Amino acid sequence: MAPGSHDGEEVRGRDIEGPEVHASDPLLDRLRGLQARIAQALDDRRIESSAQPATLCELITQLETSTDALLQENQRQRDQIERTNLQFGELVEVVMGLAALDYTQRATVYEGQDDATNALAIGLNMMCEELEHATTELIHTRDVALAANRAKTTFLANMSHEFRTPLNAIIGYSELLYEEYGSTAQPMMVSDLERINTAARHLLALIQDTLDISKIEAEKLELEFRPFLLPELLDDIVATITPMIHKHANRLEYIREFELSIMLGDSTRLRQVLLNLLSNASKFTTDGVVTLRVCERVGAGQHIMDFSVSDTGIGIEPDMLDRIFEAFTQADDSTTRMYGGTGLGLTISRRLCEMMGGALTVTSRVGHGSTFVASVPIPPMETGSVAAVGDS
Amino acid sequence: MSQVIETRTELISLDDDEIVRCKVKQTEEHRLADAIENVRATAALVGGRRVFLLLDARTATKIDREAREYYTGPENAKVVRATAMLIGSSVGRIIGNFILRVNHPPFPFRLFSDEESANSWLRDLMAASDDDGPWES
């Protein structure tokens, strides 16, 4: 506005304090001083009736210049506050992204913004870049590993099949030869036939274990839950394992503490677990006792069947108790040499128990023996299932 | 008398004391292409020798991941024996610490807020390398 275009009353009536600023602002103090001098000049004019237009115009010009400067400064501060708020909003977004594992967001670095805020934005952006890069690398590595694992599983499954076919032929023909010539052949030949048969069966078991673990790891092994007669299954297991128990001069005790007759579950896999535990107990015990104790209990609101296999054998060192469930691990390397086995049996057994919704635990004392407990929940059966078992 | 090469992001000079000084210009962002250009310019300036470098990053603002990786990778290690990085703000400190802790340069790398201390550190390293013979590892 041009100087001198206002009369005294207009100047007096203007809101020269303008937008809110800090009380100790020097610019505002000067403006207030100017306001007081103008008021004084107007009062003097009125009292003395002698106008001094030049002085008044000069004061008004000064007042307008100061007011413009103040308004500009206020605007600059408002812009700064707005930009700071905007940047802090972005920084919060980036931090929230980091907390949610989203590393794709970036904060803007504003020219003229204060150093600390820009440093914060740059630091967060660099962290996001590194994390995004590392995550991409990890995902790629995981995908490669998964693909390799799938290829391994397929290879193992194919190779297992290819191995099993000739092995079954070796087992079959060695048994055939034994039946045909067992009574008439020389003792050396009978012994050789038995060795061929034993070695082939052992190799078949190894292949079966390898196939099982690869299926479990690939999550391709599915359980078949059907009702079955539990006492019959246990009797069958006892009959199967008895020769091995006697072979190591052990005695088998079978303690039955349950009323249940029909159980819903995968009888094949349960049988596999119990035979594995019993054969281990027998293998690591000589001239001792192997006990199979089966009892029913209620825990965590469901019925659970505990299959406990105890022995009076060599026991397991405390620091090995967890490791024995890892694949290809036995208590130590000499165990494999002395007792044989792949080191896969307990891994498979624990994983099968977990797949059944249960657990496989162990307690042991070196020199006194071990106790393995396979705890398996008993799912409720639908009406009609009992009849189905009876019919079958 | 020093020789100077100017790239998009830096002014690179080889001074009489055999220290290469790179002054970061106030540019928008240091990218991989800039890092390659600067390393090549340094190599050209020193004629294939490995040198002690003072990086004046007091006006640096942004440097992307690929550029950081290149500056701390094998290509730069072929040219640089040690780097003293001059920083003058929180932004510089953040960038410098990040390079030091995350990218792990394969050569001595230290942050300085004062130029004389940076020069002194580089001169000490040069003297030590003279005592030990050529420092090529």
Side-chain angles (χ1 to χ4, degrees), chain A residues 7 24 27 32 65 84 134 190 212 224 261 265 268 321 348 382:
Chain A
D7 63 25
S24 65
L27 210 54
R32 281 180 179 142
T65 309
T84 303
V190 172
D212 277 351
E224 289 182 20
S261 126
T268 307
L321 281 178
I348 295 169
E382 290 172 14

Side-chain angles (χ1 to χ4, degrees), chain A residues 115 119 122 126 129-130 133, chain B residues 61 65 68 89-91 98:
Chain A
D115 185 48
I122 287 170
M126 289 196 298
E129 282 175 13
E130 285 297 330
H133 176 75
Chain B
T61 50
R65 202 192 153 274
R68 287 198 303 273
S89 63
S90 304
V91 171
F98 204 89

Side-chain angles (χ1 to χ4, degrees), chain A residues 164-204:
Chain A
R164 273 188 300 178
T165 308
L167 268 175
N168 279 323
I170 292 169
I171 292 167
Y173 278 107
S174 66
E175 284 173 354
L176 204 65
L177 284 170
Y178 187 83
E179 280 171 18
E180 280 189 21
Y181 303 108
S183 54
T184 57
Q186 292 176 349
M188 182 84 87
M189 186 183 168
V190 172
S191 167
D192 287 348
L193 280 173
E194 281 173 353
R195 280 181 189 156
I196 290 170
N197 193 273
T198 305
R201 283 185 182 281
H202 179 65
L203 197 52
L204 194 61

